Amino acid sequence: MTSIFTVSVDSVEGPTLRGRVHIINPDVPSVPQETVFPLSLLVDAWWHLDRGFLYDEDDEEGGGDRYPFTEDQGKDITGGMRLKDEFSKLYELVLGKHIRVTEDGYLLADDGKTVLEPRRKAKDVYRLDSGRGHDGISHFVMTPGNAEEFSQWAADVVTFYDISPYRNVPLRSEVAALENPDEPWDPEEPDGPADLDDYAVWNLLQLRPFAELPYAEIAVTVSDAGYLEHMVAGMRWATTMTGHVC
């Protein structure tokens, strides 16, 4: 799945996180305003760390992922989190439950090999969506997420969420100069930030380095600092999260 945003964490102080959300995909040209979005980011960061996908590789100029600890240290952090069981549940509410099955659909244990007794097919036990595949350990199927429950959880967890005005938005005159280089901008025409919904803007943005892409600063306060135990200043990762539940 194509990444939608790149999230950078600037500070974590008690129950409050401050950071930036860079807009990198023209299909979603604005930062979601609903509280489900910051909660989904916390869940996404937890998943990346728990699976060993976010560690101390740094691509400062290119805007790549970074985390100031090793892969094993990241896994230790998520494994020791006081609210780790809640994050497992939250992940299932967003993306659905990952259920291991045999090739013909019978339920397997977590080892991906042992058929559970009594033998039952996943479709007879769970409500499933279209998600299915093989992850290198076993076949799997997916249950759907639960938007209503995740939204309620977000309302309880996220006590404050603020988005700044957008930074690094190109001017209309800059976009026009790229689109029509032989036609000078009329100085009497009002200029100002371009509309990020306009795909022409992205013809200009694709020529710019990561540091010059549009972004908004965010501030998030949660009801329990335990929801931020895995978050640290300096981390950055690309995400497909928009707050939308699958």
Side-chain angles (χ1 to χ4, degrees):
M1 185 179 294
T2 304
S3 296
I4 303 297
F5 304 108
T6 294
V7 184
S8 304
V9 177
D10 295 325
S11 68
V12 180
E13 299 178 358
T16 298
L17 175 149
R18 299 183 184 278
R20 288 158 289 151
V21 178
H22 278 82
I23 301 170
I24 61 174
N25 190 317
D27 291 335
V28 186
S30 61
V31 178
Q33 299 181 10
E34 299 79 11
T35 56
V36 290
F37 178 61
L39 183 58
S40 71
L41 294 182
L42 299 181
V43 173
D44 192 46
W46 167 84
W47 183 85
H48 274 79
L49 289 167
D50 196 58
R51 298 303 189 278
F53 296 148
L54 185 58
Y55 44 89
D56 58 352
E57 285 193 351
D58 189 7
D59 179 16
E60 179 65 35
E61 296 301 323
D65 294 352
R66 68 185 185 197
Y67 192 72
F69 299 108
T70 66
E71 176 182 342
D72 287 341
Q73 287 172 321
K75 290 180 178 180
D76 287 343
I77 288 170
T78 58
M81 288 174 64
R82 177 165 51 85
L83 301 178
K84 63 182 179 181
D85 292 340
E86 289 196 20
F87 274 91
S88 294
K89 175 63 175 176
L90 286 166
Y91 183 82
E92 292 176 4
L93 292 179
V94 178
L95 293 169
K97 183 178 178 64
H98 183 282
I99 301 168
R100 297 197 176 281
V101 294
T102 63
E103 186 175 3
D104 49 358
Y106 286 95
L107 292 170
L108 291 174
D110 290 340
D111 62 9
K113 299 177 181 179
T114 307
V115 177
L116 294 178
E117 297 292 345
R119 290 170 59 90
R120 296 173 296 172
K121 287 195 171 184
K123 67 179 182 179
D124 297 329
V125 178
Y126 298 97
R127 183 167 67 92
L128 303 178
D129 69 7
S130 59
R132 61 193 65 245
H134 193 289
D135 61 4
I137 297 175
S138 73
H139 292 276
F140 67 86
V141 291
M142 300 291 297
T143 65
N146 187 322
E148 182 177 355
E149 188 173 350
F150 187 72
S151 179
Q152 181 57 60
W153 210 317
D156 294 337
V157 170
V158 180
T159 60
F160 175 80
Y161 175 43
D162 183 65
I163 307 171
S164 77
Y166 293 115
R167 321 294 190 191
N168 288 351
V169 178
L171 296 174
R172 293 174 58 231
S173 57
E174 294 179 287
V175 178
L178 181 66
E179 292 286 287
N180 303 292
D182 298 327
E183 298 182 17
W185 179 261
D186 184 350
E188 296 186 0
E189 184 174 348
D191 201 358
D195 186 350
L196 292 176
D197 282 315
D198 182 356
Y199 264 77
V201 176
W202 292 87
N203 292 329
L204 176 63
L205 290 175
Q206 68 181 353
L207 304 174
R208 295 189 171 184
F210 172 77
E212 297 179 15
L213 294 180
Y215 72 90
E217 297 170 349
I218 62 170
V220 182
T221 300
V222 293
S223 58
D224 185 328
Y227 288 105
L228 303 181
E229 280 189 87
H230 59 312
M231 309 300 287
V232 61
M235 68 185 292
R236 180 175 63 208
W237 78 102
T239 183
T240 60
M241 292 292 184
T242 63
H244 174 71
V245 171
C246 295

